[in-house]
Amino acid sequence: METWTMGLWEVCVDQEEVATVCKAFESFLSLPRELQASRILMVASHGLGLVGLLLSGFGAECFQFHRIRRVLKRRLCLLGGTLEASAAATTLLPVSWVAYATIQDFWDDSIPEIVPRWEFGDALYLGWAAGVFLALGGLLLIFSACLGKEDVTSPHMAVPTTAPPSCAPAEVSDSSFYLMPRSRTLLI
C-alpha cells in the first residue's frame, strides 16, 4: 500500500511498513499552474503576516517610543490587523485551491487506474488551521483598534501641560531639580 502526497515544495511516497521517500521539485516552471500560484501566494502570506505582526507590535499599548500618539498607535494596530487578515486570505486560497485540484484529480475517471492517486497531506490541514488562526488574530486586532476609546490617554504618554521650572527664564527659576516619573512631577 502506497500513499502519494504532493506538497508545495516536494512529493512524498509513503510505503506502508517500509519508509517515506520525499523528493523536491526540480524546477518551478515545470510545476502545474495551481502549485506555481500557490507557492507565490504562500510566500506573500508569510511577508504580509510578518509586516502585520511588526506593525501591530509597534501599535501595542505596552510599546513606548518617543511619545507616539494614541491615534498613531491605533492606526498601526488597525493596519497590522488588516495585513494579518490579508495573510489569512493568501494562506487559505492556495491551500483550498490545491485541495480542490487534488479532489478533482482523485475522482477523475479519465486517469488510468495505474496512475497513483494523490492524497491530502498533513501540511494541508496545517495550512487551513494557520489560515483560520491568522484570520482570528487579524480580526481581533481590527476590532480592538476600532472599539478602543478615543478620549482615554495613557498616563505614560501624557504630555505635561506646564513646562518645568528649568525651562523657565532665569529670573523665575528657583534652582530646583525636578524628576519626572511616569505620571507626576516630583520636586526634590
Side-chain angles (χ1 to χ4, degrees):
M1 174 90 181
E2 290 182 339
T3 304
W4 292 69
T5 55
M6 182 179 359
L8 291 178
W9 312 106
E10 62 186 8
V11 175
C12 294
V13 178
D14 183 21
Q15 297 173 342
E16 194 173 313
E17 298 180 10
V18 178
T20 300
V21 179
C22 295
K23 183 179 179 199
F25 293 116
E26 305 259 333
S27 170
F28 177 76
L29 297 176
S30 67
L31 294 173
R33 290 204 185 263
E34 68 263 4
L35 286 182
Q36 289 177 355
S38 296
R39 276 188 174 187
I40 292 168
L41 287 171
M42 288 303 290
V43 170
S45 171
H46 285 55
L48 287 171
L50 180 64
V51 172
L53 179 69
L54 290 174
L55 288 177
S56 61
F58 289 137
E61 191 66 34
C62 61
F63 183 77
Q64 299 292 324
F65 184 74
H66 293 289
R67 298 193 174 159
I68 294 177
R69 294 185 314 197
R70 182 132 175 100
V71 174
L72 179 61
K73 283 182 160 276
R74 173 178 272 166
R75 287 181 183 162
L76 285 174
C77 260
L78 188 61
L79 182 60
T82 304
L83 289 176
E84 290 291 326
S86 300
T90 56
T91 298
L92 290 173
L93 180 70
V95 169
S96 300
W97 189 4
V98 169
Y100 174 76
T102 303
I103 290 170
Q104 291 299 319
D105 290 344
F106 189 84
W107 294 110
D108 190 3
D109 292 334
S110 66
I111 298 176
E113 291 294 322
I114 299 171
V115 176
R117 303 293 179 157
W118 300 105
E119 302 270 339
F120 286 167
D122 295 335
L124 196 69
Y125 299 109
L126 290 174
W128 277 323
V132 167
F133 284 128
L134 277 169
L136 290 175
L139 290 174
L140 183 67
L141 282 170
I142 290 170
F143 288 141
S144 69
C146 291
L147 297 177
K149 295 182 179 175
E150 291 279 339
D151 55 348
V152 177
T153 58
S154 172
H156 304 294
M157 296 179 356
V159 179
T161 55
T162 60
S166 62
C167 297
E171 65 271 9
V172 180
S173 179
D174 61 353
S175 300
S176 300
F177 179 72
Y178 287 86
L179 288 177
M180 290 198 290
R182 295 183 183 183
S183 62
R184 58 182 158 228
T185 306
L186 184 67
L187 177 63
I188 297 179

